[in-house]
Amino acid sequence: MDMDLKDLMEFVQTTARSVGAEIASPWFYLQFGLILAAAGIAYAAEAGIRNRIDMTNLAIRWPLPLRHFARVMVSSASTAVFTLLVIISRVVMYHATWPSRSYLLMVAAKLGLAWLAIRLVTSVLRNAFLVKLVSITAWFVAALSIIGQLDATVELLDSFAIVLGGLRLTPLLLIKAGALLIIALWLTNIASNFAESRINSTTDLTPSVQVLLVKIIRIGLLTVAIVIALGAVGIDLSALAVFSGAVGVGIGIGLQKIVANFISGIILLADKSVKPGDLVTIGDNTGRISAMKTRYISVAAGDGREFLVPNEDLVTQKVVNWTYTDKNTLVKITFGTNYDADPKLVCKLAIETAAAHPRAQKGKPPNCILTEFAEAGMKFSLTLWLADPDGMDNVRSDVMLALWDAFKREGIRVPYPVREIRIRGGALPVETTVEVPN
């Protein structure tokens, strides 16, 4: 530790004496009462302002910067009213008595103005957690600066240090690195989203190539952002070599699945075996690929469900891609008739029924063949081609219903199993009832 316990105790005692001297003054309680009164009035005023002002139509004809400023002020009405009342109280006391007797009012007014400025700046952010984090951190720094304790706090945070190899870690260094990383990642997200929108709007690239380029750009920008942020706070990246062994062990033990899915995702995008928009069957699940992520792909089943399939499963397991090279799809329908039917007439009716379906391809006529003389009747296989695999089950159902109507018209029956029960050496039990006399 760079700072011993004695220096820390002296800092605490000096701060305590300063605060005690301020509290002992009777003017402190007057200022404190004015601040509480301003806070109460501001709280009541906010409710009235929000009830009387429509945020949707507020300053709708104003220029965009003024409209944005007005909406932020209305959303922070309590802080704005509080700051205004405190400033008025400060001006009155400044001219009525010694300036030092309204010091607390000046601090409160500056803190209120700082919060309004921070709210105005962070209003451009869309992430609620990021807005709170940045707002609280920035206001805390501003508060320390206003009360004149920023430099002392910085020295205190920098005085505690842990040395690992050639790297000196302090609370101040970690705070700076975290703040710069947040800013760098935010800018990286904006840049990658812009690049993604431009790439997706390009019609010369296939969907898989678009996704691959987006992933490469995101990873590249993320790497550059981390390197710049760490370098900006004075961290020598070569000093981080101490942690490379631990990271390698972590990947080998706990992160191997994540790494495997990431590498598998790159392979899928590079070999184009699957791509967004493909109709695939994975196990018992069938649907269209709606998105390809770093760790998984999303398969929309068409009934509101989406299956998230890890990329590794697509590389190591059997995947049926209905639209890999050709969207033309062969639909196969099996059915049977009894032996009283003419098999040639059955095939003719089946072909005519399938050809009459509006989705049947005209260039590839349907075909029907007799496949088996089974115990219960003759079995047939009807095939027809569709231009797209979407709705295969609906087409199959339509053709089978139409084929049923055609069989009814021609007197062709569909066989069904018949079971005979024979009783040998006995008789079926007969249920009897016995009347009991009253």
Side-chain angles (χ1 to χ4, degrees):
M1 297 292 181
D2 293 355
M3 182 177 183
D4 55 18
L5 183 61
K6 181 180 179 181
D7 295 335
L8 178 61
M9 293 300 297
E10 289 181 356
F11 175 78
V12 173
Q13 291 175 1
T14 302
T15 304
R17 285 194 297 268
S18 177
V19 173
E22 185 68 27
I23 294 177
S25 173
W27 295 101
F28 170 82
Y29 298 99
L30 175 61
Q31 297 175 80
F32 189 71
L34 291 174
I35 292 174
L36 288 180
I41 296 173
Y43 180 79
E46 181 182 22
I49 292 174
R50 288 183 176 273
N51 292 333
R52 289 174 173 80
I53 296 179
D54 184 7
M55 293 293 293
T56 305
N57 299 322
L58 177 63
I60 193 170
R61 296 184 180 180
W62 291 10
L64 181 60
L66 292 178
R67 185 167 65 249
H68 182 71
F69 176 79
R71 289 178 177 174
V72 172
M73 290 299 103
V74 172
S75 62
S76 305
S78 59
T79 306
V81 173
F82 170 80
T83 304
L84 180 61
L85 293 176
V86 171
I87 290 176
I88 294 174
S89 302
R90 158 68 177 176
V91 171
V92 173
M93 287 193 66
Y94 182 85
H95 292 285
T97 182
W98 295 101
S100 60
R101 294 175 178 176
S102 58
Y103 172 76
L104 190 60
L105 292 175
M106 181 188 65
V107 171
K110 288 183 177 180
L111 290 176
L113 289 173
W115 182 254
L116 288 176
I118 292 170
R119 285 287 294 114
L120 186 63
V121 173
T122 57
S123 61
V124 299
L125 303 177
R126 295 293 178 266
N127 189 302
F129 173 76
L130 187 60
V131 169
K132 292 182 180 179
L133 179 63
V134 173
S135 300
I136 294 174
T137 304
W139 188 82
F140 185 72
V141 173
L144 291 175
S145 178
I146 290 171
I147 63 177
Q149 297 297 322
L150 182 59
D151 293 337
T153 304
V154 169
E155 293 179 0
L156 179 65
L157 293 175
D158 192 50
S159 60
F160 296 94
I162 299 176
V163 179
L164 297 175
L167 182 62
R168 180 176 179 271
L169 293 178
T170 65
L172 180 63
L173 181 65
L174 296 178
I175 293 173
K176 287 182 177 179
L180 288 177
L181 279 175
I182 290 175
I183 296 174
L185 294 177
W186 177 57
L187 295 176
T188 298
N189 187 54
I190 294 176
S192 59
N193 288 339
F194 174 76
E196 181 178 3
S197 62
R198 297 301 299 267
I199 291 174
N200 291 336
S201 63
T202 304
T203 58
D204 297 335
L205 302 176
T206 62
S208 58
V209 174
Q210 291 177 353
V211 175
L212 180 59
L213 288 177
V214 170
K215 290 184 182 296
I216 292 176
I217 291 175
R218 284 188 181 275
I219 295 173
L221 290 176
L222 180 62
T223 304
V224 172
I226 294 176
V227 171
I228 293 177
L230 295 180
V233 297
I235 296 179
D236 186 6
L237 296 180
S238 61
L240 299 178
V242 178
F243 305 101
S244 60
V247 173
V249 173
I251 292 176
I253 296 177
L255 303 179
Q256 50 184 334
K257 283 293 183 181
I258 297 177
V259 175
N261 284 319
F262 175 76
I263 300 299
S264 299
I266 299 297
I267 294 174
L268 292 174
L269 293 172
D271 63 14
K272 303 178 184 179
S273 56
V274 293
K275 55 186 179 296
D278 281 353
L279 182 67
V280 296
T281 298
I282 304 172
D284 297 331
N285 303 321
T286 300
R288 284 200 176 274
I289 298 178
S290 58
M292 299 183 68
K293 303 296 184 180
T294 304
R295 188 181 61 85
Y296 62 88
I297 69 166
S298 177
V299 179
D303 56 359
R305 297 178 298 168
E306 288 202 30
F307 303 100
L308 305 182
V309 183
N311 291 328
E312 185 182 10
D313 292 349
L314 274 76
V315 175
T316 58
Q317 297 182 10
K318 179 181 177 180
V319 178
V320 178
N321 190 341
W322 296 88
T323 55
Y324 179 54
T325 56
D326 190 359
K327 290 186 177 182
N328 292 326
T329 304
L330 183 67
V331 178
K332 184 177 181 181
I333 302 172
T334 58
F335 62 94
T337 65
N338 58 14
Y339 283 105
D340 295 333
D342 182 1
K344 296 181 180 179
L345 177 60
V346 171
C347 289
K348 179 182 178 183
L349 289 175
I351 292 174
E352 292 176 351
T353 302
H357 196 278
R359 290 194 56 188
Q361 286 198 19
K362 307 305 178 183
K364 296 181 177 181
N367 187 33
C368 182
I369 59 174
L370 175 63
T371 59
E372 183 181 356
F373 292 110
E375 179 181 355
M378 297 179 290
K379 292 186 177 181
F380 298 84
S381 176
L382 172 64
T383 57
L384 71 154
W385 286 92
L386 304 180
D388 191 276
D390 277 340
M392 290 185 298
D393 293 336
N394 293 334
V395 174
R396 184 180 290 109
S397 175
D398 293 342
V399 173
M400 293 179 71
L401 290 174
L403 194 58
W404 175 266
D405 294 337
F407 286 171
K408 286 291 185 180
R409 290 194 305 267
E410 298 295 333
I412 299 175
R413 293 184 299 161
V414 176
Y416 53 88
V418 177
R419 299 289 182 262
E420 294 183 359
I421 300 178
R422 297 182 180 182
I423 306 299
R424 294 183 179 180
L428 288 173
V430 178
E431 182 179 353
T432 60
T433 58
V434 179
E435 295 184 359
V436 180
N438 295 330

